[in-house]
Amino acid sequence: MVDDIKRKLNRRNLIKASGVAGITAFAGCISTSDDDSGDGDGGEGSDGSDSGGDESGPYSIGMVDSLTGSLSAFGERNQRGKDLALGRVNELGINGQDLDIIVEDSGSENQGGISAAQKLVNQDSVPFLIGAVGSGVSIAIYESVIQETDVVQLSQNSTGLNLTDFPGLLRMSPTGRAQSLALANIIADDGYDSVALTYVNNDFGQSLTDAFVDAWDGEIAYNSAHDQEQSSYSSVMSEMNNSGADAWLFITYQAEFTTMVNEAFSSGYEAQFYGADSAQGSGVLEGTPEGSMEGMKITLPSAPIEQENYQAFASAFEEEYGQEPTSWAAYAYDCVINAALAIQAADEFTGAALQETVGRSHDHRASKCRPSRMRMRSSPTAGGPRTSTTRASVARSTSMRMAIRSASYRS
Amino acid sequence: MSRLDNWVDYWSDLTRAEQGVTGSIALFAAVLLVGLVTGGLNPTYFLFLVGLAGMYALMSLGLNSQWGFSGLINFSVAAFFGIGAYGAALMTSDSAPILGGFDPILGLVVALSLAAVMAVLIGVPTLRLRADYLAIASLGLAEVVRLLVLNERQWTNGSGGVRGIPRFFDGWPVLSTFPQAMPGLEIVIILGSPIELGTPFYQMLLNISLVAIFVGASYLVLRRAHRSPWGRVLRTIRSDEDLARALGKNTYSFKMQSFVLGSVIMALAGVFYAHLNLFVSPGDLNPITTFYVWVAVILGGSGSNRGALFGGIVVVTIREGTRFLNEFAWIPFDTAPLRLLMIGVLIVLVMKFRPQGILPPQRELIWPDAIEGSETEPERHTNQQPGGDTNE
Amino acid sequence: MSVLELVANGLIFSSILVLGSIGLSLIYSIANFANFAHGDTMTVGAYSALVTFGAVGGLGGSVLGLPYGFFVALLVGAAMAAVVAIVTEKVVYESLDIGSIGLLITSIGIAFIYRGLIQIGFGADFTRFDIVALRPIEWLIPYGIRVTHHDVAIVISAAVLVGGLHVLLQYTDLGRKMRAMADNPDLARISGIRTKRITLWTWVIGAGLAGAGGVFLGLFNQLAPRMGFNLLLLIFAAVILGGIGSIYGAMLGGFLIGMISQLTPVLEMVGIPIGIEYSNAIAFVIMVVVLLVRPTGIAGEAT
């Protein structure tokens, strides 16, 4: 019994001693990083000074994209644009290094986006994050992960208006406000004073609709949200028809819009269609019958196709993928180019430094979209799919100039 | 007996499954430790994952309490999770369309009460139904809740979500400035890969302590409840409801109580989520969360609290661990649908080869009083779930 | 907008739902579990038809605006869905002895597998059949009904399939055995019915109907990897509403749920301020209300 106690005491002492020894040994490895990197309030644990390559290894930045889920079509287009840009950047190299983009899937959901951003910011220590597609996801990522750090966030596709409220959250796609204003102007100019509108029930749809309702002077005969990915929107179309308005506005995505057009067509409804940029694309053109969208007008931020560098981009894209680029692919392309230029111009590969240079090379903060810079200019029909252009010069960026134009479907 | 002999005895006493699980957990923990020490796994991200695992573990505990102990097939997990999150968000956020600006503790109380009320509302029409009807009905009502949250913009800000949620410990005297006050540390265990611990790390540490408190409290409450006479009645209802009724128990009332208890725990997970991400939106009520929690419970072992914890950890590992597949760019397929495929295959494999889950309840279902003072210890291989192995 | 028009829309949507809900109810009553992979079985049928139609083409000639090739594709789609279901049954479900909830969970896994494979194979973007869209039928427009020949084709085909099922169940040997099994499997086995074979046939018919439903859904709307899953909840609501164990209940349930979801605009017409964004929610609430009054569903049997 006494032996037992002795043994127990010895064991206990041994454990204690080893614990103390361990801590002292450990302590030798610990040092405060307060002096070197000023950890006080800046929260710079994610500076990215480890994984950024100064002498060795590529520059790693992160990208949160919707590879699955309801916005996965956008994700696919973004990936094409990003791959093309990455190829071009790495042909030339940045300061002799390659650019590496770590892509994480948001699943088109806030939680997925936040987990993706957490991994990229904390685990991979990227100082620059391209993300995300859905406006709600971008805001969630910013509020939850990016806000307290120095990481630069640049959204490739989010057009919801609420992003403007976050000055630290940059985006390549223009705010939907310009579109909503343009739409209000165009519809009014076409002589309609009553409009029926339907929008997709998420942050993007709601914010654009709110802006449109603000800007629109006339009557709104019908205003209703619809869910994504439903099998049938015939109730919506019936109600729009019933509202008596002759101008119908659709703020929704391609899949939903295709369904609606088909249902309107097969019900024999006739009206003048208007749409936001998200409603147009090759999928819609392929999926809808001839003449079903005759004369429809869409506002879309698109590249000024006369510009040389856009044409170079478009032909490279077509060569690589065999199809015309969408504006989404172009935005993603631009994000990557922007990041590369910012890295090149920066003194060091940290979030703080990149905040400076990205501001210089790309003046595209959401808060800078001013509708007062819109100019009306109409040019005669050129036979192609686009007619009178309303050009709103929003900002300059390196490879594309953003413009708001109205386009008509000729089918 | 020396302590070492104790350990050897204990080890051989475990079932093979438990040995396997303990072994793999130890291995997994070792891998994580190595990753942390070498700087391969960032501690802040690691803690974030732990937080997610805690969240899923909470929801699994709640669902396990409803399904594992009372036999209620509840497919409305996402709705309770969302109500917890929205309750906390609307109460505490400054930019909430209604209420707002209250203390997070008050937000917690309100969120849990809201969940309890909603549990009663959902339970009243559904708990009398047979099992699979309950499943679909609860799923349908969860969708109704989600649509309400999405469309009633004047209450919930609709799809814009509620942002500006404060951290849970904001406003507490010491803890609110803890992350900034703690010194930034740089630990060098292996030369060349320093581990940096800065403000984000301490912030995450606070979050983890919150979820640890929640999980711990729920676990203890559930363990107590399930070993009580109340728990016994629930177990009887699960195996044979007619018998329970014949014994004079008001089964409906018991089922309702169990339903409410489980739902409140799920709402607790939602409250934690709101204070972790500082942003909630209607997408958080997506039914896919319900399916993941079910996978966690089935995988872990129905009727077992520690199985629920284990399941929660496994689900988070699968969901977030597959992100690391991106490193293997030589896979010709997109990783995202591949992940969906892998989860499906995993579910099927588990159901085929180990349907009672990895850690089915064993001795934890026997009251300790029954063992103390008896001469023989009961075998560990008790209470096999129907189907699957018979001679384990 | 007349109520007649909404009713017509409801009829078309119901036809698709009915095809799905009957299949689900069949499987439910004989294999005894809620098959969460049913929606994705519809997707499988739709995509098989897409591939077939692309390969076969129009085959000259058409009826009701649908080329003969489409009907060939329809058959292939239904057949492929049936084949996939049988393979799943043989490989996965048959050897499992874990009760209906375990099978339910397994079917969730199977659903993920179907969906993942389709997305890997076809990408996430939506697509359509290469069939010319039609204008509404002229002589119906004055009545306020706006349907095209395609819609008529959907309704007629669904009616034919359902009618065929009815004939099968009531007048053939197989149908009798299926009803016997649904009623009391042990008694059926004792009386010499080869339950395994009947189960397989049930899967064939159930999944085949689902595949056909998927093809029509693709025609009615469009094809996407999530198309079936998005409809699944409504199909379940239809089956529960009609009552498990009753095929006719499932038909009724599918019809009702389809009509309810399309007739929601009527509410606003009579002054109840519930918008159409709640149409799915209304369908579920009605289902729950019916269950309160009749806990086994409208035509279900008491357990």
Side-chain angles (χ1 to χ4, degrees), chain B residues 81-208:
Chain B
F81 173 73
I83 286 294
Y86 261 90
L90 288 175
M91 283 296 291
T92 57
S93 156
D94 287 321
S95 50
I98 51 170
L99 308 169
F102 292 100
D103 192 76
I105 298 276
L106 191 56
L108 173 68
V109 169
V110 166
L112 295 186
S113 327
L114 204 57
V117 165
M118 203 174 77
V120 173
L121 284 178
I122 292 188
V124 160
T126 56
L127 284 181
R128 289 195 197 275
L129 304 173
R130 60 177 251 194
D132 18 24
Y133 282 39
L134 172 58
I136 309 305
S138 58
L139 187 54
L141 288 176
E143 271 293 285
V144 172
V145 171
R146 184 185 71 84
L147 287 171
L148 277 171
V149 167
L150 177 62
N151 288 308
E152 296 302 316
R153 294 180 66 179
Q154 65 275 21
W155 296 334
T156 62
N157 203 23
S159 58
V162 180
R163 56 181 181 84
I165 306 171
R167 300 265 183 204
F168 190 79
F169 291 115
D170 270 2
W172 289 41
V174 170
L175 293 175
S176 57
T177 51
F178 172 75
Q180 286 84 10
M182 285 290 283
L185 295 175
E186 195 171 301
I187 305 178
V188 185
I189 298 182
I190 298 185
L191 284 174
S193 343
I195 305 170
E196 309 216 353
L197 303 178
T199 310
F201 175 77
Y202 294 116
Q203 184 59 63
M204 206 53 83
L205 201 60
L206 266 185
N207 291 334
I208 299 308

Side-chain angles (χ1 to χ4, degrees), chain B residues 67 73 131-132 135 294 298 351, chain C residues 33 98-106:
Chain B
W67 157 243
I73 305 173
D132 18 24
W294 267 98
I298 296 287
M351 294 314 286
Chain C
F33 72 99
I98 47 180
S100 61
I101 300 308
L103 287 170
L104 191 152
I105 304 290
T106 315

Side-chain angles (χ1 to χ4, degrees), chain A residues 72-73 76-77 222 229-232 234-236 238-239 242 255 258-259 262 265-270 287 289, chain C residues 1 5 9 123-126 128 133-136 146 148 217 220-222 226 230-231 262 265 268 276-277 280:
Chain A
S72 47
E76 279 183 7
R77 296 170 198 140
Y222 180 75
E229 297 191 311
Q230 296 298 303
S231 319
S232 164
S234 44
S235 329
V236 179
S238 298
E239 288 194 332
N242 204 39
T258 309
T259 307
N262 276 294
F265 184 76
S266 54
S267 304
Y269 298 145
E270 303 278 351
Chain C
M1 167 180 60
E5 182 185 353
N9 289 341
D125 226 340
F126 70 98
R128 294 183 72 92
L134 300 176
R135 284 304 214 164
R146 298 163 175 270
T148 66
L217 182 63
F220 178 65
N221 183 20
Q222 61 207 7
R226 287 156 63 107
N230 291 330
L231 209 58
Q262 295 298 316
E268 287 203 321
I276 53 174
E277 56 263 17
N280 281 355

Side-chain angles (χ1 to χ4, degrees), chain B residues 292 295 318 337-351, chain C residues 92 105-114 116:
Chain B
Y292 278 125
V295 171
I318 294 174
L338 199 61
R339 189 193 329 184
L340 200 61
L341 188 62
M342 273 173 42
I343 293 178
V345 170
L346 176 72
I347 295 175
V348 173
L349 286 178
V350 167
M351 294 314 286
Chain C
V92 180
I105 304 290
T106 315
S107 69
I108 295 180
I110 300 287
F112 286 170
I113 293 178
Y114 289 171

